Amino acid sequence: MYQFKELQEAEIIVEVFKTNVQKESDRDYIMAEMQNQFPAYKVNFDLEDCDKILRVEGLDLKYENVINQVNGLGYTCVRLE
């Protein structure tokens, strides 16, 4: 019961990033890699937005980890504040 209470009190963090992702195939590749690396995160893209938005949400989310992961795959990723 104690662990459940901790989860209830935990805050879901949402981070939004500007990327240079253009193609759906690139989006799918990044999303698959993100899900492998961070299975507890909810990840989605809005490629129709001019900033090619990547939105990530999860408990204990560290935006630096997302940036490092996407940059490591060869794409630009900048946190929007």
Side-chain angles (χ1 to χ4, degrees):
M1 189 75 157
Y2 179 70
Q3 290 176 340
F4 181 70
K5 184 177 181 194
E6 282 181 347
L7 283 176
Q8 284 181 321
E9 294 173 0
E11 188 175 331
I12 293 178
I13 298 170
V14 178
E15 294 286 355
V16 180
F17 305 88
K18 176 180 179 176
T19 73
N20 67 339
V21 176
Q22 298 294 319
K23 298 186 287 185
E24 290 181 11
S25 59
D26 293 333
R27 176 202 63 197
D28 295 345
Y29 170 65
I30 293 169
M31 288 179 64
E33 292 296 318
M34 292 288 293
Q35 288 297 291
N36 285 335
Q37 185 69 27
F38 309 108
Y41 291 177
K42 182 178 175 185
V43 179
N44 63 57
F45 271 93
D46 181 358
L47 295 183
E48 293 182 18
D49 186 275
C50 64
D51 289 330
K52 310 303 182 194
I53 296 295
L54 166 62
R55 183 177 182 273
V56 183
E57 67 179 73
L59 299 173
D60 198 32
L61 180 116
K62 305 278 190 273
Y63 73 88
E64 301 93 342
N65 293 341
V66 174
I67 290 172
N68 290 338
Q69 177 74 16
V70 175
N71 288 344
L73 296 173
Y75 301 91
T76 301
C77 182
V78 178
R79 182 181 179 217
L80 296 177
E81 295 186 37

Coordinates of all heavy atoms in Angstrom, one line a residue:
M1 N 0.8 -1.2 0.0 CA 0.0 0.0 0.0 C 0.9 1.3 0.0 O 0.5 2.2 -0.6 CB -0.9 0.0 1.2 CG -1.9 1.0 1.2 SD -3.2 0.6 0.0 CE -4.5 1.5 0.6
Y2 N 2.0 1.2 0.7 CA 2.9 2.3 0.7 C 3.4 2.7 -0.6 O 3.5 3.9 -1.0 CB 4.1 2.0 1.7 CG 5.1 3.1 1.8 CD1 4.8 4.3 2.5 CD2 6.3 3.0 1.2 CE1 5.7 5.3 2.6 CE2 7.3 4.0 1.3 CZ 6.9 5.2 2.0 OH 7.8 6.2 2.1
Q3 N 3.8 1.7 -1.5 CA 4.3 2.0 -2.8 C 3.2 2.7 -3.7 O 3.4 3.6 -4.4 CB 4.8 0.8 -3.5 CG 6.0 0.3 -2.9 CD 6.5 -1.0 -3.5 OE1 5.7 -1.7 -4.2 NE2 7.7 -1.4 -3.4
F4 N 1.9 2.3 -3.5 CA 0.8 2.8 -4.3 C 0.7 4.3 -3.9 O 0.4 5.1 -4.7 CB -0.5 2.1 -4.0 CG -1.6 2.6 -4.8 CD1 -1.7 2.5 -6.2 CD2 -2.7 3.2 -4.2 CE1 -2.7 3.0 -6.9 CE2 -3.7 3.8 -4.9 CZ -3.8 3.6 -6.3
K5 N 0.8 4.6 -2.6 CA 0.6 6.0 -2.1 C 1.8 6.9 -2.8 O 1.5 8.0 -3.2 CB 0.7 6.1 -0.6 CG 0.5 7.5 -0.1 CD 0.5 7.5 1.4 CE 0.2 8.9 1.8 NZ 0.5 9.2 3.2
E6 N 3.0 6.3 -2.8 CA 4.1 7.1 -3.5 C 3.8 7.4 -4.9 O 4.0 8.5 -5.4 CB 5.4 6.3 -3.4 CG 6.0 6.3 -2.0 CD 7.4 5.6 -2.0 OE1 7.6 4.8 -3.0 OE2 8.1 5.7 -1.1
L7 N 3.2 6.4 -5.6 CA 2.8 6.6 -7.0 C 1.7 7.7 -7.2 O 1.8 8.5 -8.1 CB 2.4 5.3 -7.7 CG 3.5 4.3 -8.1 CD1 2.9 3.0 -8.6 CD2 4.4 4.9 -9.1
Q8 N 0.8 7.7 -6.3 CA -0.3 8.7 -6.3 C 0.3 10.1 -6.1 O -0.2 11.0 -6.7 CB -1.3 8.4 -5.3 CG -2.2 7.2 -5.6 CD -3.3 7.0 -4.5 OE1 -3.0 7.2 -3.3 NE2 -4.5 6.7 -4.9
E9 N 1.3 10.2 -5.3 CA 1.9 11.5 -5.0 C 2.9 11.9 -6.0 O 3.3 13.1 -6.1 CB 2.5 11.5 -3.6 CG 1.5 11.3 -2.5 CD 2.1 11.2 -1.1 OE1 3.3 11.2 -1.0 OE2 1.3 11.0 -0.2
A10 N 3.4 11.0 -6.8 CA 4.4 11.3 -7.8 C 3.8 12.2 -8.9 O 2.6 12.0 -9.3 CB 5.0 10.0 -8.4
E11 N 4.6 13.1 -9.4 CA 4.1 14.0 -10.4 C 4.6 13.6 -11.8 O 5.7 13.3 -12.0 CB 4.6 15.4 -10.1 CG 4.0 16.5 -11.0 CD 4.4 17.9 -10.6 OE1 4.7 18.1 -9.4 OE2 4.4 18.7 -11.5
I12 N 3.6 13.5 -12.7 CA 4.0 13.3 -14.1 C 4.6 14.5 -14.7 O 4.0 15.6 -14.6 CB 2.8 12.8 -14.9 CG1 2.3 11.5 -14.4 CG2 3.1 12.7 -16.4 CD1 1.1 10.9 -15.1
I13 N 5.8 14.4 -15.3 CA 6.5 15.5 -15.9 C 6.3 15.4 -17.4 O 6.3 14.3 -18.0 CB 8.0 15.4 -15.6 CG1 8.2 15.5 -14.1 CG2 8.8 16.5 -16.3 CD1 9.6 15.2 -13.6
V14 N 6.0 16.6 -18.0 CA 5.8 16.7 -19.4 C 6.9 17.6 -20.0 O 7.0 18.7 -19.5 CB 4.4 17.2 -19.8 CG1 4.3 17.3 -21.3 CG2 3.3 16.3 -19.3
E15 N 7.6 17.2 -21.0 CA 8.6 18.0 -21.6 C 8.3 18.1 -23.1 O 7.9 17.1 -23.7 CB 10.1 17.5 -21.4 CG 10.5 17.5 -19.9 CD 10.9 18.9 -19.4 OE1 10.9 19.9 -20.2 OE2 11.2 19.0 -18.2
V16 N 8.6 19.2 -23.7 CA 8.3 19.5 -25.1 C 9.6 19.9 -25.7 O 10.3 20.8 -25.2 CB 7.2 20.5 -25.3 CG1 7.0 20.8 -26.8 CG2 6.0 20.1 -24.6
F17 N 9.9 19.4 -26.9 CA 11.2 19.6 -27.6 C 11.0 20.0 -29.0 O 10.1 19.5 -29.7 CB 12.1 18.4 -27.5 CG 12.3 17.8 -26.2 CD1 11.5 16.9 -25.6 CD2 13.4 18.3 -25.4 CE1 11.7 16.4 -24.3 CE2 13.7 17.8 -24.2 CZ 12.8 16.8 -23.6
K18 N 11.8 20.9 -29.5 CA 11.9 21.2 -31.0 C 12.9 20.3 -31.6 O 14.0 20.1 -31.1 CB 12.3 22.7 -31.2 CG 12.5 23.1 -32.6 CD 12.9 24.5 -32.7 CE 13.1 25.0 -34.1 NZ 13.4 26.4 -34.2
T19 N 12.5 19.7 -32.8 CA 13.4 18.8 -33.4 C 13.6 19.1 -34.9 O 12.9 20.0 -35.4 CB 12.9 17.3 -33.3 OG1 11.8 17.1 -34.2 CG2 12.6 16.9 -31.9
N20 N 14.4 18.4 -35.6 CA 14.6 18.6 -37.0 C 14.1 17.4 -37.8 O 14.4 17.1 -38.9 CB 16.0 18.9 -37.4 CG 17.0 17.7 -37.1 OD1 16.7 16.8 -36.3 ND2 18.1 17.7 -37.8
V21 N 13.2 16.6 -37.1 CA 12.7 15.3 -37.7 C 11.7 15.8 -38.8 O 10.8 16.6 -38.6 CB 12.0 14.5 -36.7 CG1 11.4 13.2 -37.3 CG2 13.0 14.0 -35.6
Q22 N 11.9 15.2 -40.0 CA 11.0 15.6 -41.2 C 10.1 14.4 -41.6 O 9.0 14.7 -42.0 CB 11.9 16.0 -42.3 CG 12.7 17.2 -42.1 CD 11.9 18.5 -41.8 OE1 10.9 18.7 -42.5 NE2 12.3 19.3 -40.9
K23 N 10.6 13.2 -41.6 CA 9.9 12.1 -42.2 C 9.3 11.2 -41.1 O 9.8 11.1 -40.0 CB 10.9 11.3 -43.0 CG 11.5 12.0 -44.2 CD 12.3 11.1 -45.1 CE 13.6 10.8 -44.4 NZ 14.5 10.0 -45.2
E24 N 8.2 10.6 -41.5 CA 7.5 9.7 -40.6 C 8.4 8.5 -40.3 O 8.4 8.0 -39.1 CB 6.2 9.2 -41.2 CG 5.1 10.3 -41.3 CD 3.8 9.8 -41.9 OE1 3.7 8.5 -42.1 OE2 3.0 10.6 -42.2
S25 N 9.2 8.0 -41.2 CA 10.1 6.9 -40.9 C 11.1 7.3 -39.8 O 11.5 6.5 -39.0 CB 10.8 6.5 -42.2 OG 11.6 7.5 -42.7
D26 N 11.6 8.5 -39.8 CA 12.5 9.0 -38.8 C 11.8 9.1 -37.5 O 12.3 8.7 -36.4 CB 13.1 10.4 -39.2 CG 14.1 10.3 -40.4 OD1 14.6 9.2 -40.6 OD2 14.2 11.3 -41.0
R27 N 10.6 9.6 -37.5 CA 9.8 9.7 -36.3 C 9.6 8.3 -35.7 O 9.8 8.1 -34.5 CB 8.4 10.3 -36.6 CG 7.5 10.3 -35.4 CD 6.0 10.3 -35.8 NE 5.7 9.1 -36.6 CZ 4.6 9.1 -37.4 NH1 3.8 10.1 -37.5 NH2 4.3 7.9 -38.0
D28 N 9.2 7.3 -36.5 CA 9.0 6.0 -36.0 C 10.3 5.4 -35.4 O 10.2 4.7 -34.4 CB 8.5 5.1 -37.1 CG 7.1 5.5 -37.6 OD1 6.4 6.3 -36.9 OD2 6.7 5.1 -38.7
Y29 N 11.4 5.6 -36.1 CA 12.7 5.1 -35.6 C 13.0 5.7 -34.2 O 13.4 5.0 -33.3 CB 13.8 5.5 -36.6 CG 15.2 5.3 -36.1 CD1 15.7 4.0 -35.8 CD2 16.1 6.3 -35.9 CE1 17.0 3.8 -35.3 CE2 17.4 6.1 -35.5 CZ 17.8 4.8 -35.2 OH 19.1 4.6 -34.7
I30 N 12.9 7.0 -34.1 CA 13.1 7.7 -32.8 C 12.2 7.2 -31.7 O 12.6 6.9 -30.6 CB 13.1 9.2 -32.9 CG1 14.2 9.7 -33.8 CG2 13.1 9.9 -31.6 CD1 14.1 11.2 -34.2
M31 N 10.9 7.1 -32.0 CA 10.0 6.6 -31.0 C 10.3 5.2 -30.6 O 10.2 4.9 -29.4 CB 8.5 6.7 -31.6 CG 8.1 8.1 -31.7 SD 6.4 8.3 -32.4 CE 5.4 7.5 -31.1
A32 N 10.7 4.3 -31.5 CA 11.0 3.0 -31.1 C 12.3 2.9 -30.2 O 12.3 2.2 -29.2 CB 11.3 2.1 -32.4
E33 N 13.3 3.7 -30.6 CA 14.5 3.8 -29.7 C 14.2 4.4 -28.4 O 14.7 3.9 -27.3 CB 15.6 4.6 -30.4 CG 16.1 4.0 -31.7 CD 16.9 2.7 -31.4 OE1 17.6 2.6 -30.4 OE2 16.7 1.7 -32.1
M34 N 13.3 5.4 -28.3 CA 12.9 6.0 -27.0 C 12.2 5.0 -26.2 O 12.4 4.9 -25.0 CB 12.1 7.3 -27.3 CG 12.8 8.4 -27.9 SD 13.9 9.2 -26.8 CE 12.8 9.9 -25.6
Q35 N 11.3 4.2 -26.8 CA 10.5 3.2 -26.0 C 11.5 2.1 -25.5 O 11.2 1.6 -24.4 CB 9.4 2.6 -26.8 CG 8.3 3.6 -27.1 CD 7.6 4.0 -25.8 OE1 6.9 3.2 -25.1 NE2 7.8 5.3 -25.4
N36 N 12.5 1.8 -26.3 CA 13.5 0.8 -25.8 C 14.3 1.3 -24.6 O 14.5 0.6 -23.6 CB 14.4 0.4 -26.9 CG 13.8 -0.5 -27.9 OD1 12.8 -1.2 -27.6 ND2 14.3 -0.5 -29.1
Q37 N 14.7 2.6 -24.7 CA 15.5 3.2 -23.7 C 14.7 3.6 -22.5 O 15.2 3.5 -21.3 CB 16.3 4.4 -24.3 CG 17.3 5.1 -23.4 CD 18.5 4.2 -23.1 OE1 18.9 3.4 -23.9 NE2 19.1 4.4 -22.0
F38 N 13.5 4.1 -22.7 CA 12.7 4.6 -21.6 C 11.3 4.1 -21.7 O 10.4 4.7 -22.1 CB 12.6 6.2 -21.7 CG 14.0 6.9 -21.8 CD1 14.4 7.4 -23.0 CD2 14.8 6.9 -20.7 CE1 15.6 8.1 -23.1 CE2 16.1 7.5 -20.8 CZ 16.4 8.1 -22.0
P39 N 11.1 2.8 -21.4 CA 9.8 2.1 -21.6 C 8.6 2.7 -20.8 O 7.5 2.6 -21.2 CB 10.1 0.7 -21.2 CG 11.3 0.7 -20.4 CD 12.1 1.9 -20.8
A40 N 8.9 3.5 -19.8 CA 7.8 4.0 -18.9 C 7.4 5.4 -19.5 O 6.4 5.9 -19.0 CB 8.3 4.2 -17.5
Y41 N 8.1 6.0 -20.4 CA 7.7 7.3 -21.0 C 6.7 7.2 -22.1 O 6.7 6.2 -22.9 CB 8.9 8.0 -21.6 CG 10.0 8.4 -20.6 CD1 11.2 9.0 -21.0 CD2 9.9 8.3 -19.2 CE1 12.2 9.5 -20.2 CE2 10.9 8.7 -18.3 CZ 12.0 9.3 -18.8 OH 13.0 9.7 -18.0
K42 N 5.8 8.1 -22.1 CA 4.9 8.3 -23.3 C 5.5 9.3 -24.2 O 5.8 10.4 -23.8 CB 3.5 8.8 -22.8 CG 2.5 8.9 -23.8 CD 1.1 9.3 -23.3 CE 0.1 9.5 -24.4 NZ -1.1 10.0 -23.8
V43 N 5.7 8.8 -25.5 CA 6.4 9.6 -26.5 C 5.5 9.9 -27.7 O 4.9 8.9 -28.2 CB 7.7 8.9 -26.9 CG1 8.4 9.7 -27.9 CG2 8.6 8.6 -25.7
N44 N 5.4 11.1 -28.2 CA 4.7 11.3 -29.4 C 5.3 12.6 -30.1 O 6.0 13.4 -29.5 CB 3.2 11.5 -29.2 CG 2.8 12.6 -28.4 OD1 3.1 13.8 -28.7 ND2 2.1 12.3 -27.3
F45 N 5.1 12.6 -31.4 CA 5.6 13.7 -32.3 C 4.4 14.4 -32.9 O 3.3 13.9 -33.2 CB 6.4 13.1 -33.4 CG 7.9 13.0 -33.1 CD1 8.3 11.8 -32.6 CD2 8.7 14.0 -33.4 CE1 9.7 11.6 -32.4 CE2 10.1 13.9 -33.1 CZ 10.6 12.7 -32.6
D46 N 4.6 15.7 -33.2 CA 3.7 16.5 -34.1 C 4.5 17.0 -35.2 O 5.1 18.1 -35.1 CB 3.1 17.6 -33.3 CG 2.1 18.4 -34.1 OD1 1.9 18.1 -35.4 OD2 1.5 19.4 -33.6
L47 N 4.6 16.2 -36.3 CA 5.4 16.6 -37.5 C 4.8 17.7 -38.3 O 5.4 18.4 -39.1 CB 5.7 15.4 -38.3 CG 6.6 14.3 -37.7 CD1 6.9 13.2 -38.7 CD2 7.9 14.9 -37.2
E48 N 3.5 18.0 -38.1 CA 2.8 19.1 -38.8 C 3.1 20.4 -38.2 O 3.0 21.5 -38.9 CB 1.3 18.8 -38.8 CG 0.9 17.6 -39.6 CD -0.6 17.4 -39.7 OE1 -1.3 18.3 -39.4 OE2 -0.9 16.2 -40.0
D49 N 3.6 20.5 -37.0 CA 4.0 21.7 -36.3 C 5.3 22.2 -36.9 O 6.1 21.4 -37.3 CB 4.2 21.5 -34.8 CG 4.4 22.8 -34.1 OD1 5.6 23.2 -34.0 OD2 3.5 23.4 -33.6
C50 N 5.5 23.5 -37.1 CA 6.7 24.0 -37.7 C 8.0 23.7 -36.9 O 9.0 23.6 -37.5 CB 6.6 25.6 -37.9 SG 6.5 26.5 -36.3
D51 N 7.8 23.4 -35.6 CA 9.0 23.0 -34.8 C 9.2 21.5 -34.7 O 10.1 21.0 -34.0 CB 8.8 23.6 -33.4 CG 9.0 25.1 -33.4 OD1 9.8 25.6 -34.2 OD2 8.4 25.8 -32.5
K52 N 8.3 20.7 -35.4 CA 8.5 19.3 -35.4 C 8.5 18.8 -34.0 O 9.5 18.2 -33.5 CB 9.7 18.8 -36.2 CG 9.7 19.4 -37.6 CD 8.5 19.1 -38.4 CE 8.6 19.6 -39.8 NZ 7.4 19.7 -40.5
I53 N 7.5 19.0 -33.2 CA 7.5 18.9 -31.8 C 7.6 17.4 -31.3 O 6.9 16.5 -31.9 CB 6.2 19.5 -31.2 CG1 6.1 21.0 -31.4 CG2 6.0 19.1 -29.7 CD1 7.2 21.7 -30.6
L54 N 8.4 17.1 -30.4 CA 8.5 15.9 -29.7 C 8.0 16.1 -28.3 O 8.5 17.1 -27.6 CB 10.0 15.4 -29.6 CG 10.3 14.3 -28.6 CD1 9.5 13.0 -28.9 CD2 11.8 14.0 -28.6
R55 N 7.0 15.4 -27.8 CA 6.5 15.5 -26.5 C 6.7 14.2 -25.7 O 6.4 13.1 -26.2 CB 5.0 15.8 -26.6 CG 4.3 16.1 -25.3 CD 2.8 16.4 -25.5 NE 2.1 16.7 -24.3 CZ 1.5 15.8 -23.5 NH1 1.6 14.5 -23.9 NH2 0.9 16.2 -22.4
V56 N 7.2 14.4 -24.5 CA 7.6 13.2 -23.7 C 7.0 13.4 -22.3 O 7.1 14.5 -21.7 CB 9.1 13.0 -23.6 CG1 9.4 11.7 -22.8 CG2 9.7 12.9 -25.0
E57 N 6.3 12.4 -21.8 CA 5.8 12.5 -20.4 C 6.1 11.2 -19.7 O 6.2 10.1 -20.2 CB 4.3 12.8 -20.4 CG 3.4 11.8 -20.9 CD 1.9 12.2 -20.8 OE1 1.5 13.0 -21.6 OE2 1.2 11.6 -19.9
G58 N 6.3 11.4 -18.4 CA 6.6 10.3 -17.5 C 7.0 10.7 -16.1 O 7.2 11.9 -15.8
L59 N 7.0 9.7 -15.2 CA 7.5 10.0 -13.9 C 9.0 10.0 -13.9 O 9.7 9.3 -14.6 CB 7.0 8.8 -12.9 CG 5.5 8.6 -12.8 CD1 5.2 7.4 -12.0 CD2 4.9 9.8 -12.2
D60 N 9.5 10.9 -13.1 CA 11.0 11.1 -12.9 C 11.7 11.3 -14.2 O 12.8 10.8 -14.5 CB 11.5 9.8 -12.2 CG 12.9 10.1 -11.6 OD1 13.2 11.2 -11.2 OD2 13.7 9.1 -11.5
L61 N 11.1 12.1 -15.1 CA 11.6 12.4 -16.5 C 12.7 13.4 -16.3 O 12.6 14.4 -15.7 CB 10.5 12.9 -17.4 CG 10.9 13.2 -18.8 CD1 10.2 12.3 -19.7 CD2 10.6 14.6 -19.1
K62 N 13.8 13.1 -17.0 CA 15.0 14.0 -17.0 C 15.1 14.5 -18.5 O 15.5 13.7 -19.3 CB 16.3 13.3 -16.5 CG 16.2 12.7 -15.2 CD 16.4 13.8 -14.1 CE 16.5 13.1 -12.7 NZ 15.3 12.9 -12.0
Y63 N 14.9 15.8 -18.7 CA 14.9 16.2 -20.1 C 16.3 16.1 -20.8 O 16.4 15.9 -22.0 CB 14.5 17.7 -20.2 CG 15.4 18.7 -19.7 CD1 16.4 19.3 -20.5 CD2 15.4 19.2 -18.4 CE1 17.3 20.2 -20.1 CE2 16.2 20.1 -17.9 CZ 17.2 20.6 -18.8 OH 18.1 21.6 -18.3
E64 N 17.4 16.1 -20.0 CA 18.7 15.9 -20.5 C 18.9 14.5 -21.2 O 19.5 14.4 -22.2 CB 19.8 16.1 -19.4 CG 19.8 17.4 -18.7 CD 18.9 17.4 -17.5 OE1 18.1 16.5 -17.3 OE2 19.1 18.3 -16.7
N65 N 18.2 13.5 -20.5 CA 18.3 12.2 -21.1 C 17.6 12.1 -22.5 O 18.1 11.4 -23.3 CB 17.7 11.2 -20.1 CG 18.4 11.0 -18.8 OD1 19.6 11.4 -18.7 ND2 17.8 10.5 -17.8
V66 N 16.5 12.8 -22.6 CA 15.8 12.8 -23.9 C 16.7 13.4 -24.9 O 16.8 12.9 -26.1 CB 14.4 13.5 -23.8 CG1 13.8 13.6 -25.1 CG2 13.5 12.7 -22.8
I67 N 17.2 14.6 -24.6 CA 18.0 15.3 -25.6 C 19.2 14.5 -26.0 O 19.6 14.4 -27.2 CB 18.5 16.7 -25.0 CG1 17.3 17.6 -24.9 CG2 19.6 17.3 -25.8 CD1 17.6 18.9 -24.1
N68 N 19.9 13.9 -25.0 CA 21.1 13.0 -25.3 C 20.7 11.9 -26.2 O 21.5 11.5 -27.1 CB 21.7 12.6 -24.0 CG 22.4 13.7 -23.3 OD1 22.8 14.7 -23.8 ND2 22.6 13.5 -22.0
Q69 N 19.6 11.2 -25.9 CA 19.1 10.1 -26.7 C 18.9 10.5 -28.2 O 19.3 9.9 -29.1 CB 17.9 9.5 -26.1 CG 17.3 8.3 -26.9 CD 18.1 7.0 -26.7 OE1 18.9 6.9 -25.9 NE2 17.8 6.1 -27.6
V70 N 18.1 11.6 -28.4 CA 17.7 12.0 -29.7 C 19.0 12.5 -30.5 O 19.2 12.2 -31.6 CB 16.6 13.0 -29.7 CG1 16.3 13.6 -31.1 CG2 15.4 12.5 -29.1
N71 N 19.8 13.3 -29.8 CA 21.0 13.8 -30.4 C 22.0 12.6 -30.8 O 22.6 12.6 -31.8 CB 21.8 14.7 -29.5 CG 21.1 16.1 -29.4 OD1 20.3 16.4 -30.2 ND2 21.5 16.8 -28.4
G72 N 22.0 11.6 -29.9 CA 22.8 10.4 -30.2 C 22.4 9.6 -31.4 O 23.1 8.9 -32.0
L73 N 21.1 9.8 -31.8 CA 20.6 9.1 -33.0 C 20.8 10.0 -34.2 O 20.4 9.6 -35.3 CB 19.1 8.9 -32.8 CG 18.7 7.9 -31.7 CD1 17.2 7.9 -31.5 CD2 19.2 6.5 -31.9
G74 N 21.4 11.2 -34.0 CA 21.7 12.0 -35.2 C 20.8 13.1 -35.5 O 20.8 13.7 -36.6
Y75 N 19.9 13.4 -34.6 CA 18.9 14.4 -34.8 C 19.1 15.6 -33.8 O 19.6 15.4 -32.8 CB 17.4 13.9 -34.7 CG 17.2 12.8 -35.6 CD1 17.4 11.4 -35.3 CD2 16.7 13.0 -36.9 CE1 17.2 10.4 -36.2 CE2 16.4 12.0 -37.8 CZ 16.7 10.7 -37.4 OH 16.5 9.6 -38.3
T76 N 18.5 16.8 -34.2 CA 18.6 17.9 -33.3 C 17.4 17.8 -32.4 O 16.2 17.5 -32.8 CB 18.5 19.2 -34.1 OG1 19.6 19.2 -35.0 CG2 18.5 20.4 -33.3
C77 N 17.6 18.2 -31.1 CA 16.5 18.1 -30.1 C 16.8 19.3 -29.1 O 17.9 19.2 -28.4 CB 16.5 16.8 -29.4 SG 15.2 16.6 -28.2
V78 N 15.9 20.2 -29.0 CA 16.1 21.4 -28.1 C 14.9 21.5 -27.2 O 13.7 21.5 -27.7 CB 16.3 22.7 -28.9 CG1 16.5 23.9 -28.0 CG2 17.5 22.6 -29.8
R79 N 15.1 21.6 -25.9 CA 14.0 21.7 -25.0 C 13.3 23.1 -25.2 O 14.0 24.1 -25.3 CB 14.5 21.6 -23.6 CG 13.4 21.7 -22.5 CD 14.1 21.6 -21.2 NE 13.1 21.7 -20.1 CZ 13.3 22.2 -19.0 NH1 14.5 22.8 -18.7 NH2 12.4 22.3 -18.0
L80 N 12.0 23.1 -25.2 CA 11.2 24.3 -25.3 C 10.7 24.6 -23.8 O 10.2 23.7 -23.2 CB 10.0 24.2 -26.2 CG 10.3 24.0 -27.7 CD1 9.0 23.8 -28.5 CD2 11.1 25.2 -28.2
E81 N 10.9 25.8 -23.4 CA 10.4 26.2 -22.1 C 9.2 27.0 -22.1 O 8.9 27.7 -23.0 CB 11.6 26.9 -21.4 CG 12.8 26.0 -21.2 CD 13.9 26.7 -20.4 OE1 13.6 27.4 -19.4 OE2 15.0 26.4 -20.7

